[in-house]
C-alpha cells in the first residue's frame, strides 16, 4: 500500500529578515525528486521583511469608519486598505479584499497572529510565485533534486466556516489539474473537471504544520504533480466571477 | 521525522446498491486507532441507491428555461432543482444551490461523472453524517479500532478555480477545530482561528484517491483529530453568510 507522506521539517528556528531558508531546510531534510516543499506564508513574509509597525500608521477616515474607533483598530484597517486592490465585502471589523496578486481573502492577508512582536502586522509576500520559483531553483542547485515549492496561507471561504490552507505561491508543480477530455472508468467524458491540486496540497500540509506547532516547512512526498503552475493562475478571472 | 500518511485502499470493486463497504475495507487494510477512513461520496451514494434515471424525469418550465432546451439537459436541471433547498446563483448551465443538508455547491451535488451507466445521475447521500457514524460504529465492532470516518465530495469555490474535496459527512473526528483562547508562541491570543480540519483531511485524501483511479476509500494515518464533529456543523449559518 503505497501512499503519500506529509513530513514536518522540525527544528527550524524563529525566522527573521534575510534568513537563508534553503540552508535551514537542506540541513534538516534529505529531499527526494518529486517532493513538494510547502512553506507557510508567514515564514516567507518574515524573511522578506514584510512587517509593518502599527505605530507609524496614520489611519484614513475610511479606516476609522470601518474600525468604528481611532487607535490601533483603525491603524490595522488602514494597513489592510493599503494592501487591497479592491474591497469585496465589509462587515466591520471583517474586510474581505482582493490583493495585489488577485487573491480574495479576509484582511488582504494582513495578520497579527504569529507576528514577530506585539504592535506589528505581517503582510503577504509581494510575489509569492516568484519566491517559490527562486527557492525551487536554489534547492535544485544545493541538492540536485527537482522539487516543487508551494507557499501557503489560511483562507476563509464563503458558505463554510473555518479556514483551510491554500496556495498563494507555486513553482515546479501543477496548480490546476485539468482532466477535461479524459474519461472516467465507464467512458463518461469528464467535463469541467479541474482540480485545484496546489490548494489540496496546501491543506494536506497544514494538517501537519498547524498554527501552534511552529513548523513553517512541510514536505509532501509521493505525489506525481510536477508542472509549471503558478498560484496566481488559480483566482477566477473577474469577468467570470459570480461572487464579487 | 514522523508525519502523516495518506494510504489508498486498493482493489475495492465497482460498488452497487446494498454492498457491504465495511467488509470490503477490513478485508483490505489493517486499521489502527486514530485512523481517519475517508470515503468518496459517490461510493456511499451508489451503495445507498441514490441514482436517478433521466428517462423518468419530466422537466418543469423553470428547468427548461435554465437549460435553454428540452431533453436531457432540462431533465438534468430538473433533478438538480428537486435536490435543492434553495438556489444561490444561476448562470446557465451552472446552478449553485443549497442542499437539504445545508451545503452550498454546484448542481446541488448532482453528478453525471462516474455514474453507474449513461443516462443516470448520482445524488448526494440523504444523511452523510449518519452514514459516517454508522460506518464508524461497524468498523469498531469488526476491528476493535476507534477510527474517524469522513465522507467527501469535490466542491468548487467562489474566487478560486478548480475543485477541492471537502467533508459532507463526518463521525469520530473534529470537523471545526477552534483555537480561540490558545496562544501562539509569542503570546498573541489567536482569535477567530477556527480551522476546517475535516475539509483539510478531505483534500489531503483526494490527492491519493483522484478521480480516475477508482480508489473510493483512503486512510489518513498519524493525525490526532478525534472528536465528535459533524460535516453539517461546517456551513456558515445563513444569517451570518455574506455570500448568499
Amino acid at each position: 500500500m503505497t501512499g503519500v507522506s506529509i513530513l514536518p521539517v522540525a527544528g527550524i528556528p524563529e525566522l527573521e529578515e534575510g534568513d537563508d531558508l534553503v540552508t535551514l531546510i537542506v540541513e534538516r531534510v534529505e529531499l527526494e525528486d518529486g517532493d513538494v516543499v510547502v512553506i507557510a506564508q508567514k515564514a516567507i513574509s518574515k524573511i522578506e521583511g514584510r512587517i509593518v509597525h502599527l505605530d507609524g500608521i496614520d489611519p484614513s477616515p475610511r479606516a476609522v469608519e470601518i474600525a468604528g474607533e481611532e487607535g490601533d483598530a483603525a491603524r490595522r484597517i488602514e494597513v489592510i486598505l493599503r494592501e487591497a486592490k479592491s474591497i469585496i465585502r465589509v462587515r466591520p471589523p471583517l474586510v474581505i479584499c482582493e490583493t495585489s496578486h488577485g487573491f480574495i481573502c479576509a484582511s488582504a492577508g494582513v495578520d497579527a497572529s504569529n507576528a514577530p512582536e506585539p504592535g506589528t502586522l505581517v503582510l503577504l509576500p509581494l510575489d509569492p510565485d516568484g519566491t517559490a520559483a527562486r527557492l525551487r531553483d536554489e534547492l535544485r542547485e544545493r541538492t540536485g533534486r527537482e522539487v516543487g515549492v508551494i507557499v501557503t496561507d489560511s483562507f476563509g471561504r464563503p458558505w463554510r466556516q473555518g479556514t483551510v490552507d491554500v496556495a498563494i505561491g507555486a513553482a515546479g508543480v501543477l496548480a490546476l489539474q485539468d482532466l477535461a477530455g479524459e474519461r472516467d472508468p465507464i467512458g463518461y467524458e469528464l467535463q469541467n473537471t479541474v482540480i485545484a491540486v496546489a490548494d489540496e496540497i496546501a491543506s494536506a500540509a497544514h494538517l501537519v504544520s498547524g498554527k501552534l506547532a511552529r513548523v513553517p516547512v512541510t514536505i509532501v512526498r509521493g505525489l506525481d504533480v510536477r508542472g509549471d503552475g503558478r498560484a496566481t493562475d488559480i483566482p477566477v478571472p473577474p469577468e467570470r466571477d459570480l461572487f464579487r
Side-chain angles (χ1 to χ4, degrees), chain A:
Chain A
M1 199 163 64
T2 62
V4 166
S5 301
I6 313 171
L7 305 165
V9 179
I12 292 182
E14 184 64 19
L15 295 161
E16 295 177 6
E17 186 168 357
D19 276 346
D20 177 2
L21 187 59
V22 166
T23 294
L24 293 169
I25 294 170
V26 301
E27 286 174 350
R28 285 167 178 76
V29 61
E30 194 82 29
L31 291 175
E32 299 182 5
D33 284 323
D35 280 354
V36 183
V37 179
V38 182
I39 306 170
Q41 159 267 321
K42 214 155 282 177
I44 303 294
S45 292
K46 288 178 182 176
I47 290 171
E48 296 183 350
R50 295 282 290 159
I51 309 292
V52 167
H53 289 260
L54 281 177
D55 276 354
I57 303 296
D58 184 21
S60 62
R62 174 78 172 128
V64 174
E65 179 197 337
I66 293 172
E69 59 173 90
E70 308 208 355
D72 278 355
R75 292 188 188 94
R76 179 180 157 276
I77 298 287
E78 176 63 24
V79 172
I80 292 167
L81 297 178
R82 292 181 190 178
E83 286 293 298
K85 187 160 74 181
S86 66
I87 309 293
I88 305 295
R89 291 283 193 291
V90 176
R91 187 182 58 190
L94 180 65
V95 186
I96 297 176
C97 307
E98 181 183 11
T99 71
S100 61
H101 329 81
F103 303 125
I104 296 178
C105 60
S107 306
V110 174
D111 198 358
S113 70
N114 285 300
E117 53 186 286
T120 63
L121 297 173
V122 183
L123 313 181
L124 292 187
L126 286 172
D127 176 18
D129 278 332
T131 300
R134 187 175 51 70
L135 292 172
R136 178 204 51 180
D137 290 345
E138 288 183 28
L139 287 165
R140 185 199 301 116
E141 285 166 23
R142 292 284 293 274
T143 66
R145 300 301 184 187
E146 288 286 348
V147 301
V149 173
I150 291 177
V151 179
T152 65
D153 196 9
S154 301
F155 278 14
R157 304 89 42 95
W159 312 326
R160 294 178 80 81
Q161 299 184 78
T163 63
V164 293
D165 270 29
V166 299
I168 66 164
V173 294
L174 294 168
L176 297 167
Q177 183 169 24
D178 189 349
L179 301 178
E182 298 193 43
R183 287 175 183 278
D184 71 15
I186 68 153
Y188 177 89
E189 191 168 357
L190 297 168
Q191 292 177 317
N192 299 319
T193 305
V194 175
I195 298 169
V197 64
D199 287 341
E200 292 194 326
I201 295 169
S203 287
H206 187 243
L207 290 170
V208 167
S209 61
K211 263 203 182 307
L212 295 168
R214 195 178 260 169
V215 177
V217 183
T218 309
I219 309 297
V220 178
R221 177 167 292 167
L223 289 174
D224 179 15
V225 291
R226 289 181 224 203
D228 59 356
R230 298 175 308 170
T232 47
D233 296 337
I234 298 176
V236 177
E239 67 277 10
R240 281 177 39 208
D241 197 321
L242 293 173
F243 296 97
R244 279 174 179 254

